[in-house]
């Protein structure tokens, strides 16, 4: 417990140092880089709102966490990303893997990780962090369908996000749909990637690829799906150049 208190105090001091940065344009959109997705969303995800990313299967946790981290990076505008997760999520899905983040083109040094004891503590920490306007984005990760995560809890997160302009991504592993005020809800699955042409018969490992389905959208129609891949050099999502073939996805968790 003393170590947890000390870690929390250190995190608060670090967050306090990044407060006071210039205000962001809260009317702007978070573009994914994939024209088909951004056009459907009217220019991208609404900034300063709560968005849900769901992994239906625990086995998909590594890939879905990678997708959420990429989306958070897009939303962050170069500011720090705070990744909050429960101890249960870390046991079930694995510890975050800095090398994996680096392979995706993300700066691991810009990611602040907060590990909390349970879902109640997670939501409390998330509500506090969502009010910190100095953050680029907030990623809140839990496993299963926690009882404290109800309609009221998501409404509080949404209000905090709207007040600060921080985009909050609620990452739910091995979860089912439940009542929420989230602006959008996505189901994400890993997909086979296209090998890159490096002159060898097998090809180099391709870009990480995903099947994403927009389950819910408060401001318009949903029920549509895309296959996208992450371009680590341009740091954008894009449509695959051709039909997917066996490739590789870099994990962001240790196993």
């Amino acid at each position: 417990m003393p170590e947890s208190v000390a870690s929390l105090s250190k995190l608060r001091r670090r967050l306090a140092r990044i407060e006071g940065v210039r205000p962001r344009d809260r009317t702007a959109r978070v573009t994914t880089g994939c024209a088909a997705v951004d056009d459907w969303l009217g220019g991208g995800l609404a900034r300063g709102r709560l968005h849900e990313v769901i992994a239906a299967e625990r086995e998909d946790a590594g890939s879905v966490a990678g997708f959420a981290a990429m989306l958070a990076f897009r939303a962050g505008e170069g500011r720090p990303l705070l990744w909050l997760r429960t101890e249960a999520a870390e046991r079930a899905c694995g510890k975050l893997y800095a090398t994996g983040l680096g392979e995706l083109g993300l700066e691991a040094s810009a990611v602040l990780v907060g590990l909390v004891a349970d879902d109640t503590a997670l939501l409390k920490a998330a509500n506090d962090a969502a009010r910190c306007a100095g953050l680029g984005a907030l990623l809140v990760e839990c496993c299963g369908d926690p009882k404290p995560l109800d309609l009221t809890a998501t409404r509080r997160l949404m209000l905090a996000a709207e007040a600060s302009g921080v985009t909050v991504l609620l990452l739910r592993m091995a979860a089912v749909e439940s009542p929420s005020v989230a602006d959008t809800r996505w189901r994400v699955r890993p997909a086979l990637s296209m090998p890159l042409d490096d002159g060898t018969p097998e090809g180099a490992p391709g870009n990480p690829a995903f099947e994403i389905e927009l389950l819910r959208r408060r401001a318009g129609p949903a029920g549509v799906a895309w296959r996208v891949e992450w371009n680590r050099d341009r740091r954008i999502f894009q449509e695959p150049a051709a039909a997917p073939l066996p490739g590789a996805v870099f994990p962001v968790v240790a196993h």
Side-chain angles (χ1 to χ4, degrees):
M1 182 62 71
E3 292 183 1
S4 300
V5 172
S7 298
L8 183 57
S9 298
K10 183 178 179 180
L11 179 59
R12 285 172 174 165
R13 290 195 299 270
R14 189 168 180 182
L15 289 176
R17 287 197 296 271
I18 59 178
E19 285 282 17
V21 296
R22 62 178 177 82
R24 70 192 77 197
D25 181 1
R26 300 182 188 181
T27 64
R29 293 272 173 169
V30 178
T31 60
T32 66
C34 180
V37 177
D38 292 336
D39 289 346
W40 185 272
L41 296 173
L45 292 176
R47 190 180 302 281
R49 301 289 181 84
L50 171 67
H51 303 275
E52 284 189 25
V53 178
I54 295 178
E57 304 295 334
R58 185 170 297 177
E59 291 76 11
D60 296 339
S63 292
V64 178
F67 174 86
M70 299 165 197
L71 197 57
F73 171 82
R74 295 286 303 169
E77 301 178 303
R79 307 186 197 201
L81 162 66
L82 176 58
W83 193 326
L84 297 175
R85 61 198 324 232
T86 61
E87 293 177 355
E90 183 162 284
R91 287 194 300 269
C93 304
K95 294 183 177 180
L96 295 182
Y97 185 38
T99 302
L101 291 172
E103 291 288 354
L104 296 174
L106 308 180
E107 294 291 340
S109 60
V111 180
L112 311 177
V113 180
L115 188 64
V116 298
D118 53 36
D119 297 309
T120 300
L122 177 72
L123 292 173
K124 185 179 185 303
N127 276 295
D128 289 341
R131 292 178 171 83
C132 177
L135 284 177
L138 172 64
L139 206 164
V140 184
E141 180 187 355
C142 59
C143 191
D145 302 293
K147 186 175 180 180
L149 185 61
D150 55 15
L151 194 62
T152 300
T154 60
R155 183 177 291 110
R156 287 172 179 163
L157 279 175
M158 176 68 89
L159 291 174
E162 290 176 337
S164 65
V166 173
T167 303
V168 180
L169 300 176
L170 179 59
L171 177 57
R172 301 178 57 210
M173 301 298 196
V176 298
E177 294 186 64
S178 59
S180 169
V181 302
D183 201 70
T184 62
R185 174 181 287 155
W186 302 82
R187 180 185 291 125
V188 180
R189 300 182 180 91
L192 296 177
S193 60
M194 278 292 296
L196 302 178
D197 184 7
D198 65 345
T200 64
E202 299 82 7
N207 293 321
F210 311 90
E211 292 180 359
I212 62 174
E213 181 181 2
L214 180 58
L215 299 175
R216 178 178 179 272
R217 180 186 174 201
R218 297 183 67 191
V224 63
W226 298 269
R227 184 185 294 267
V228 299
E229 65 180 20
W230 175 251
N231 186 318
R232 58 162 290 176
D233 296 321
R234 299 176 61 195
R235 298 182 181 182
I236 63 170
F237 291 100
Q238 62 189 22
E239 295 187 64
L245 295 173
V249 174
F250 291 106
V252 296
V253 294
H255 61 264

